[in-house]
Amino acid sequence: MEKKILVALVIASVAIVIAVTFILLEMKRSKFELKEWKVVVSDSTVCLQIKYSISTEYIIYAGLRGPDGEPISSLPLDPYKNIAYLPMTSSSKTTPVGGEYRLIVEEISEGYTKHRKIFEKTFTFAGPKIDVKNLQLEWRKSARIYPAMKISAEISNSGDLPAFIFGEGKIQGTTIGVSADSEVMPVLPGEKTTISWEEVFYDLSDFYRGKDLSNFIVKLYLSKGWKEGAEKIYEKTFTFSGPKIVVGNIEIKWSGYESGGYTSAEVKVEVSNTGDFPEIGYIMATISREGRSELLAPLLGIKFGPILPGEKTTLSWERNVFLRPVEPGIYTLKLEMWRRQTLLVERTLTITVPAP
């Protein structure tokens, strides 16, 4: 009987030791709980944001694998911070692809030699779905001699992942305005927004040398990283008929009367552009009477522009260099506006130089 009792005590003792050992191991075992997750854009990078709780004595790493099964990102989890951002792409300002992404959380021990998976979850995304509407151009003045354009478009993303978009403009195969890296713009899932490129410079020098620049092509792309480059999602061609300069009212004020005539004139010419393309050029003006003529503008003309489509402006200058004073009387005024060797406008009218 005593032997049976002894055996029972030994068995009970072993069971207690095993139970305590198991409890101690369970207490030492790392525990991870995913409390919340969402896809966000952080520091221009699409990330899987996770909120979590950890109970551990070891280093815990979280890693994310993409639809191709390859690792994308990995980072240690701070047990006190309880939030982490795992990039879903290998570079910033890159659009992630749709598919399955696997979050794997591992316990690292024994000098980084032992890895034990303590959590895994798969996230499935269809990817971004972009719609482009109302792509527009707006001519603008710039600090340069040539004008700039603002390109804007209404963008919506009905997908479940963010998209990074950039645009470019081309004339006859030559890129004249490509968005800088800082202008690559994110569009979040469910978002409807207007994106724009404010300073797309339009170099008109070839146009003023007679080259056809009437077709301007705008393309929008998804930025897909340095490996895959970009995916074109939208294209629109704008065809310009060209500028059309119209001369309005002409006003001349004479001053400095001496020796029977005027020595100075202030000239104002109203000019408008009713076309759809900017104009740059120079204006010439002369007055004549009885075989005698005087330049009412400098020999090389008065430069003007750019005059933007729909713009109305007044060109003004002062002329105080005459061969001899301009006497009162009736004169013929000839005004010409040129683009290099191309005559844009020629207007001839009769004017009266009044008596003082």
Side-chain angles (χ1 to χ4, degrees), residues 134-140 148-153 168-169 197 200 202 216-218 236-240 276:
N134 297 328
L135 180 65
Q136 297 179 345
L137 301 182
E138 178 185 343
W139 292 103
R140 293 189 167 189
M149 276 191 289
K150 175 184 176 181
I151 302 176
S152 61
E168 68 177 16
W197 293 267
V200 179
Y202 204 110
F216 179 56
I217 303 170
V218 178
K236 183 175 181 178
T237 299
F238 294 85
T239 300
F240 303 114
D276 57 7

Side-chain angles (χ1 to χ4, degrees), residues 16-321:
I16 292 172
V17 170
I18 293 173
V20 170
T21 302
F22 179 80
I23 292 171
L24 291 174
L25 287 175
E26 281 296 312
M27 292 176 62
K28 193 175 182 181
R29 185 183 294 273
S30 299
K31 294 181 180 179
F32 173 90
E33 181 183 358
L34 179 64
K35 293 184 173 294
E36 184 181 327
W37 68 271
K38 61 181 177 179
V39 177
V40 300
V41 175
S42 176
D43 294 330
S44 298
T45 302
V46 178
C47 297
L48 179 68
Q49 180 200 77
I50 59 173
K51 294 183 179 180
Y52 56 87
S53 64
I54 295 177
S55 174
T56 186
E57 295 182 3
Y58 302 105
I59 296 173
I60 303 297
Y61 261 79
L64 191 66
R65 292 179 176 267
D68 59 359
E70 295 297 319
I72 302 175
S73 56
S74 177
L75 50 81
L77 297 181
D78 187 336
Y80 303 104
K81 202 170 184 180
N82 296 329
I83 187 170
Y85 297 84
L86 289 150
M88 298 179 67
T89 60
S90 57
S91 58
S92 64
K93 297 183 179 180
T94 299
T95 303
V97 299
E100 292 188 349
Y101 291 76
R102 281 196 302 148
L103 172 66
I104 300 173
V105 181
E106 293 183 316
E107 173 192 278
I108 312 297
S109 61
E110 299 181 13
Y112 287 86
T113 61
K114 186 177 180 180
H115 294 232
R116 186 175 70 86
K117 182 167 65 176
I118 60 174
F119 181 86
E120 179 174 341
K121 182 176 177 62
T122 299
F123 305 89
T124 302
F125 301 99
K129 186 178 180 181
I130 300 299
D131 184 45
V132 182
K133 294 181 179 179
N134 297 328
L135 180 65
Q136 297 179 345
L137 301 182
E138 178 185 343
W139 292 103
R140 293 189 167 189
K141 301 281 189 179
S142 73
R144 308 185 186 187
I145 185 174
Y146 297 122
M149 276 191 289
K150 175 184 176 181
I151 302 176
S152 61
E154 295 177 7
I155 308 290
S156 61
N157 182 0
S158 59
D160 54 8
L161 286 176
F164 281 93
I165 297 176
F166 69 93
E168 68 177 16
K170 290 186 177 181
I171 301 175
Q172 297 190 354
T174 301
T175 301
I176 58 105
V178 179
S179 64
D181 185 59
S182 61
E183 294 176 302
V184 179
M185 302 175 187
V187 183
L188 303 179
E191 183 179 18
K192 291 184 178 180
T193 185
T194 297
I195 63 174
S196 62
W197 293 267
E198 300 287 338
E199 294 280 299
V200 179
F201 290 101
Y202 204 110
D203 187 346
L204 304 180
S205 57
D206 285 340
F207 171 73
Y208 297 114
R209 294 186 183 98
K211 188 175 180 180
D212 179 17
L213 301 186
S214 59
N215 290 329
F216 179 56
I217 303 170
V218 178
K219 299 178 182 180
L220 298 182
Y221 296 89
L222 282 183
S223 175
K224 304 191 77 172
W226 62 271
K227 284 185 178 181
E228 298 185 28
E231 175 189 345
K232 185 176 72 174
I233 57 173
Y234 190 80
E235 178 177 330
K236 183 175 181 178
T237 299
F238 294 85
T239 300
F240 303 114
S241 59
K244 185 178 181 181
I245 297 298
V246 177
V247 175
N249 186 51
I250 301 173
E251 180 183 342
I252 305 174
K253 290 184 178 180
W254 301 92
S255 61
Y257 191 85
E258 61 181 55
S259 303
Y262 296 95
T263 59
S264 181
E266 182 183 358
V267 185
K268 294 183 179 180
V269 181
E270 291 182 355
V271 178
S272 59
N273 182 358
T274 60
D276 57 7
F277 201 81
E279 187 64 274
I280 295 177
Y282 60 94
I283 186 169
M284 306 287 293
T286 59
I287 57 172
S288 60
R289 185 179 71 164
E290 298 175 353
R292 175 199 165 192
S293 63
E294 286 282 356
L295 291 175
L296 200 57
L299 181 63
L300 298 178
I302 298 291
K303 293 182 179 180
F304 67 84
I307 302 176
L308 303 183
E311 181 182 3
K312 184 177 182 180
T313 186
T314 298
L315 308 178
S316 61
W317 67 91
E318 186 174 340
R319 180 67 173 169
N320 51 22
V321 180

